[in-house]
Amino acid sequence: MQGHFGDRWNGLFIFGRELRPENALFWLLLALLVWLPVPLGSNRVWAWSLMEAAAFALAAAWAILWALGRVAITPSLARASPALALLALWIAYQAFHLVPLPSAWVEVLSPQAARMHSLAAMGVPSQSMTLSLDPHATDAALLKALAYGAVFFLVLALVGTRSRVRTFSLVLVCAAVLHAVYAVLMHLADRTVPQFGELITHGASASGTYANRNHFAGYLEMMLALGIGLLLAGLSEGRADSWKRWVAHVLEWILSPAMVLRLALCILVIALTTTHSRTGNTAFFASLLVAGTIGIVLSRHATRKTLILLASLVVIDLVIVGSWFGVEKLARRLEETTLTDVRVREEPAAYALDIIKDYPLFGSGPGTFASTFPRYRPETVVDYFDYAHNDYAQIGAETGLIGLGLMGLLVGASLAAALLAQWRRRDPLMRGMAFAAVMGITAMLIHSWTDFNLQIPANASLFMVLLALGWISLGLDGKHGTRKSDSGSGSGIAGRSTVFPKSLTLRAI
């Protein structure tokens, strides 16, 4: 009994095996991230409320375990203290928009906000005001920001060993493959089905479990980056000294789990192509070229196989796979893009700049774009826009230049951490995760110019995962979760590397 319930108790024993609380939190976090894309990208009130409750519960559970001495701060979590400080400042900044301030203060900080509050009060003098024009919308946005922050923190706190990094990445990629298969099959079958109260038409383009195909494309971009990072991490550094040895290496790679991952990436590319998302596909291939070039330049340990693999990803995916599954239709959409199409995307973002001019420092308040934009919409714009179709314009309009700057610092610091990891690390897995972070972040930065992926809870949460992976790739000690140090010498093919287990069956952590 002492071994099970004494002072040294660490978890439950189920079927003769110990289930530690930290392991349970790890798998619950994975389950949450796998679930988020399912209910329309969690872009419904009940869905993102469930996300918030789950994220807060997991973070609170980790804090309790830490207070009891059951979990420790991981090296990645300690290394990411600058990003955590920026994230805390970003959340506090949003909360500041809800603080009732003396009206004289608001007139100084945001004169236009003071004027709008006075108009809403019908000229009746008010003793206090908020910087936000719509406190209820800002309150909802603040809860989302707290949930995203919790996801960022939990990834750093729970993905603390190399085995967990492998499992974490593989599970997310496998889940994305299931989404991709579902999306392509529904698209080929030309089905229109109700999903969580929304009628989804799959015939024109693949949208999977998302209401908007562009957001599904954004999800695929991030998961492709993660899968490519895993594939790069599995490359061996050995060289064949004869053609027989080279053939043996090729055959061994074909029969290895790396080939299964390569086929999975083909499926993801097929799904991305069938979304017919112009910016989504452009962002994927552009980010692959950018991240590949940066990786080769920065990595002092890159091999010829890395260059060959990156080239094959572009050639095979674009020419062979894409030509069978809609790349011609995608190319036709790009060719047929008219000024009207561009104007429809540009109009809400262009008029959002007028909001920034009126609320330059603090914005109109997080989450207030839908209620603020109608005042700036001319009569020629008849459609209703609850998003700006440009994440930069919307973040700037809602939080001002200060908020946009804080978010830019957080993303920039995480991107810098991933780039530094590519320069310093020898561990193939850490270099692969750094590549995934650079590519995924770059893809979203490109896609955010014409869409609002960062306003979709599922995609915003997975973007936070990529930011966290940048710090993990830099801060995770090679001695954690493995018997080898961070030497990075992979003797063998991907199938016998440190990235893939002997089979694709995920081991218990």
Side-chain angles (χ1 to χ4, degrees):
M1 296 292 290
Q2 181 68 19
H4 289 261
F5 301 101
D7 293 337
R8 298 181 62 84
W9 177 84
N10 282 320
L12 297 173
F13 284 83
I14 300 178
F15 301 113
R17 300 189 65 179
E18 184 184 23
L19 178 63
R20 295 189 301 164
E22 186 183 6
N23 291 343
L25 292 182
F26 171 77
W27 286 107
L28 287 173
L29 173 63
L30 257 180
L32 173 62
L33 294 174
V34 169
W35 159 257
L36 289 180
V38 175
L40 304 172
S42 293
N43 195 31
R44 296 296 182 270
V45 175
W46 67 269
W48 73 59
S49 298
L50 183 62
M51 173 196 73
E52 293 163 357
F56 297 156
L58 289 176
W62 186 93
I64 293 173
L65 291 175
W66 178 77
L68 296 175
R70 305 300 186 189
V71 295
I73 295 177
T74 62
S76 302
L77 184 60
R79 193 67 177 266
S81 55
L84 291 169
L86 286 171
L87 185 59
L89 188 60
W90 160 250
I91 293 174
Y93 173 76
Q94 294 195 62
F96 181 62
H97 285 77
L98 294 171
V99 177
L101 300 173
S103 56
W105 291 20
V106 177
E107 289 177 0
V108 174
L109 297 175
S110 182
Q112 187 67 15
R115 178 173 176 271
M116 295 305 297
H117 280 299
S118 298
L119 290 175
M122 305 296 291
V124 179
S126 177
Q127 297 297 322
S128 64
M129 300 175 179
T130 62
L131 289 172
S132 172
L133 300 185
D134 187 349
H136 294 290
T138 300
D139 184 62
L142 177 62
L143 288 175
K144 288 182 185 178
L146 285 168
Y148 301 149
V151 169
F152 181 80
F153 173 84
L154 288 167
V155 173
L156 291 170
L158 296 174
V159 188
T161 64
R162 299 181 77 259
S163 61
R164 284 190 178 179
V165 171
R166 291 193 300 267
T167 302
F168 184 81
S169 304
L170 281 171
V171 169
L172 290 181
V173 172
C174 289
V177 171
L178 294 178
H179 281 282
V181 170
Y182 168 78
V184 172
L185 291 178
M186 295 296 286
H187 172 62
L188 294 177
D190 194 11
R191 296 293 301 277
T192 299
V193 295
Q195 182 175 324
F196 295 100
E198 186 86 11
L199 195 63
I200 307 297
T201 301
H202 297 275
S205 57
S207 59
T209 56
Y210 284 74
N212 188 314
R213 57 186 171 81
N214 295 298
H215 302 150
F216 181 51
Y219 166 71
L220 293 174
E221 293 162 30
M222 292 185 284
M223 295 301 99
L224 273 163
L226 193 56
I228 293 172
L230 276 175
L231 197 60
L232 288 172
L235 289 178
S236 69
E237 296 182 0
R239 294 183 178 180
D241 52 7
S242 66
W243 70 270
K244 292 183 179 180
R245 186 59 182 163
W246 182 83
V247 172
H249 278 191
V250 173
L251 291 176
E252 193 172 357
W253 187 80
I254 292 174
L255 297 175
S256 71
M259 179 54 68
V260 178
L261 178 59
R262 184 66 189 91
L263 294 175
L265 294 181
C266 288
I267 295 174
L268 294 182
V269 171
I270 290 171
L272 177 61
T273 305
T274 53
T275 64
H276 304 135
S277 172
R278 290 166 290 196
T279 311
N281 282 272
T282 301
F284 165 65
F285 287 106
S287 64
L288 177 58
L289 294 174
V290 170
T293 302
I294 292 176
I296 292 172
V297 171
L298 289 184
S299 179
R300 295 169 291 178
H301 317 291
T303 64
R304 184 173 58 180
K305 294 180 181 179
T306 302
L307 183 60
I308 294 174
L309 177 60
L310 292 174
S312 71
L313 286 170
V314 176
V315 173
I316 295 176
D317 292 342
L318 182 61
V319 178
I320 300 178
V321 177
S323 63
W324 292 344
F325 291 92
V327 75
E328 293 181 356
K329 186 173 182 179
L330 174 62
R332 195 180 310 118
R333 284 201 75 218
L334 290 171
E335 292 175 356
E336 294 175 354
T337 300
T338 64
L339 290 177
T340 302
D341 296 329
V342 175
R343 192 178 300 113
V344 169
R345 293 292 184 93
E346 283 185 344
E347 280 182 339
Y351 294 116
L353 297 179
D354 295 332
I355 302 177
I356 298 177
K357 292 178 182 178
D358 284 345
Y359 307 87
L361 294 180
F362 294 93
S364 60
T368 61
F369 180 83
S371 57
T372 305
F373 181 71
R375 181 171 174 266
Y376 294 86
R377 182 183 62 187
E379 295 180 356
T380 55
V381 179
V382 297
D383 295 330
Y384 172 77
F385 290 97
D386 47 0
Y387 300 103
H389 288 269
N390 183 309
D391 282 319
Y392 303 101
Q394 181 155 346
I395 294 173
E398 292 183 345
T399 64
L401 298 179
I402 296 177
L404 186 61
L406 287 174
M407 178 56 66
L409 287 174
L410 173 62
V411 175
S414 302
L415 189 58
L419 293 173
L420 188 59
Q422 286 188 306
W423 172 253
R424 288 183 176 178
R425 300 303 297 267
R426 287 185 57 86
D427 187 328
L429 180 59
M430 294 303 103
R431 294 208 310 267
M433 291 301 99
F435 181 94
V438 172
M439 179 180 169
I441 293 171
T442 303
M444 294 304 289
L445 291 179
I446 295 173
H447 202 165
S448 289
W449 281 105
T450 59
D451 278 306
F452 47 99
N453 276 286
L454 297 184
Q455 311 302 322
I456 306 302
N459 289 7
S461 297
L462 291 169
F463 184 69
M464 299 304 289
V465 169
L466 290 175
L467 297 183
L469 283 177
W471 293 98
I472 289 174
S473 65
L474 178 64
L476 183 61
D477 189 349
K479 297 178 182 179
H480 285 75
T482 179
R483 295 181 181 178
K484 296 182 179 180
S485 64
D486 192 20
S487 63
S489 60
S491 62
I493 304 299
R496 288 187 286 186
S497 70
T498 57
V499 177
F500 300 100
K502 292 182 178 179
S503 67
L504 288 181
T505 305
L506 298 178
R507 298 176 296 174
I509 301 299

